[in-house]
Amino acid sequence: MVRGKESRSITSVDVARKAGVSQSTVSLVFAGKASGRVSPQTQQEVLRIAEEMGYRPNTVARTLRLGHTNIIAFVIPDVSNPFFAAVLKGAEQAARLHNYTVILVSTGDDQEWQRVVMDALTTHSIEGFVLCAVRPPGDMDIAILRSRAVIVDETWTGLSSLSLDIVGGTQVAMHHLFGLGHRRIAHLAADVDVETFRQRQRTYEQELALRGLVLEARYTARAALNPASAFQAARKLLHLSEPPTAIFCDDDLLAIGAYKAAAELGWGVPRQLSIVGFGDGLIAQTLAPELTTVSIPTAALGKRAIEVLLADFEVLEQPHSEVISLELRVRGSTTAIAGKA
């Protein structure tokens, strides 16, 4: 059976003809070499038309011809955490502009599984890595990953990194609560042994000490990064003989548990309990009242990770190190305690 003309595969020539550009321009865009040669507007138009026409470049031929796959692995510890999904979205959008595909890999926050994943992925089938809040690799892995990986929310010697200003973010959250008159401030801490959460704990303790407040172990409760575990931990805090008037949560997921524990006791948020989170994803604006939280610019973080990685592909003189500033979004979950307004 002879196929009709309408069923043939769409080619780069077809895309070029419809976009009103040369075939070489289309090739530059899909080879990730258009920067400085093709205007951003033209690049976007070529990509739009290609998507509309259903054009897909021959990736096998391109890999053989260029020696690379244009595939970036986005490696995370927990696929259920919405924070990582938001960072991934920004990374995918930025990668697409340079004709890269991002694949998601979850290690399950398991050190042995992470070892297996790294062994499987550090081959020529993966061009680069964005490693988001995963445990540090060994020295051998760092040597393999040099110029091929960017670390997000961590800092490792020898690799480019984007670290969050966790200390500054925690400080501004605590200052906000102190400014509202709160002194019995509990810490609903993530029971995850990575530096980003250790920084939150240290800063919480330091801020109490700076104000001459005694650090009481009973005001710190640890929970897995899920609402059910956070609920049980928050219940213990709220059943203390002198319960906290405010809770600082390591993550917005933990704040959900604090809200549920308050509701179980019939406590109003923020009238009887102020709650501050960390993250500022969809959860923060879904809770009622909306959550006061430290805002992490997740989409911008993912975009910047791709930009740094692609720059490392071209020229790696020294690993790039950058700190991302955080700020507090004040919403309805915090208020002054009685007599402190």
Side-chain angles (χ1 to χ4, degrees), residues 99-178:
N99 195 36
Y100 278 83
T101 298
V102 178
I103 62 171
L104 177 65
V105 179
S106 176
T107 66
D109 199 32
D110 182 285
Q111 192 70 23
E112 291 305 314
W113 174 236
Q114 183 170 312
R115 173 71 263 167
V116 172
V117 169
M118 293 303 295
D119 286 344
L121 292 180
T122 49
T123 68
H124 292 297
S125 62
I126 301 295
E127 196 143 348
F129 302 82
V130 174
L131 306 175
C132 194
V134 295
R135 298 178 187 275
D139 292 340
M140 183 178 299
D141 290 327
I142 288 179
I144 294 171
L145 292 170
R146 198 179 307 276
S147 84
R148 298 181 63 199
V150 171
I151 315 306
V152 176
D153 201 13
E154 282 284 356
T155 301
W156 303 336
T157 302
L159 297 179
S160 291
S161 65
L162 297 177
S163 57
L164 302 175
D165 184 11
I166 298 297
V167 171
T170 303
Q171 286 175 336
V172 74
M174 294 295 287
H175 293 176
H176 174 66
L177 292 174
F178 287 131

Side-chain angles (χ1 to χ4, degrees), residues 218-256:
R218 61 180 180 155
Y219 283 124
T220 293
R222 300 193 175 278
L225 273 174
N226 64 70
S229 178
F231 169 66
Q232 295 300 330
R235 287 182 82 248
K236 294 178 181 178
L237 292 172
L238 299 188
H239 281 87
L240 291 172
S241 57
E242 291 184 295
T245 62
I247 298 180
F248 166 63
C249 303
D250 272 358
D251 190 277
D252 291 353
L253 280 171
L254 301 182
I256 297 174

Side-chain angles (χ1 to χ4, degrees), residues 278-318:
F278 213 112
D280 197 25
L282 182 61
I283 289 170
Q285 296 179 56
T286 302
L287 289 169
E290 292 187 357
L291 180 66
T292 294
T293 187
V294 178
S295 182
I296 300 175
T298 49
L301 185 62
K303 176 178 182 291
R304 184 63 184 142
I306 295 297
E307 291 171 348
V308 172
L309 180 61
L310 297 183
D312 281 356
F313 286 170
E314 298 297 326
V315 179
L316 181 65
E317 297 177 353
Q318 293 293 332

